Amino acid sequence: KKAALYARAGIPEYWVVDLNSRQVLIHRSPGAAGYTEVTAFSADECIAALARPEATIPVTTVLP
């Protein structure tokens, strides 16, 4: 429900940390119907925010 609200408000990026699956889901490309791009990143990958694409961080740094 939050993702749809954020997308309608034009928030360019929404991250969800899935502790059970040990991954980060990054929602991008917001629109009236929600985010059209959702990418899952596993613990062995790196992620970066749209605002700072050069500043990558390992997914493990956001997982307990």
Side-chain angles (χ1 to χ4, degrees), residues 17-24 41-44 59-60 63-64:
V17 178
D18 183 342
L19 297 176
N20 293 325
S21 298
R22 297 195 50 78
Q23 63 183 2
V24 174
F41 294 88
S42 60
D44 61 341
V59 169
T60 55
L63 297 172

Side-chain angles (χ1 to χ4, degrees), residues 4 7-8 30-36:
R8 282 196 300 271
Y35 287 94
T36 59

Side-chain angles (χ1 to χ4, degrees), residues 1 6 9-10 15 17 20-23 25-26 33 40-41 43-44 46 51-53 56 58-59 62:
K1 190 167 186 167
Y6 293 160
W15 292 20
V17 178
N20 293 325
S21 298
R22 297 195 50 78
Q23 63 183 2
L25 303 168
I26 298 181
F41 294 88
D44 61 341
C46 290
R52 297 276 316 267
T56 61
V59 169
V62 297

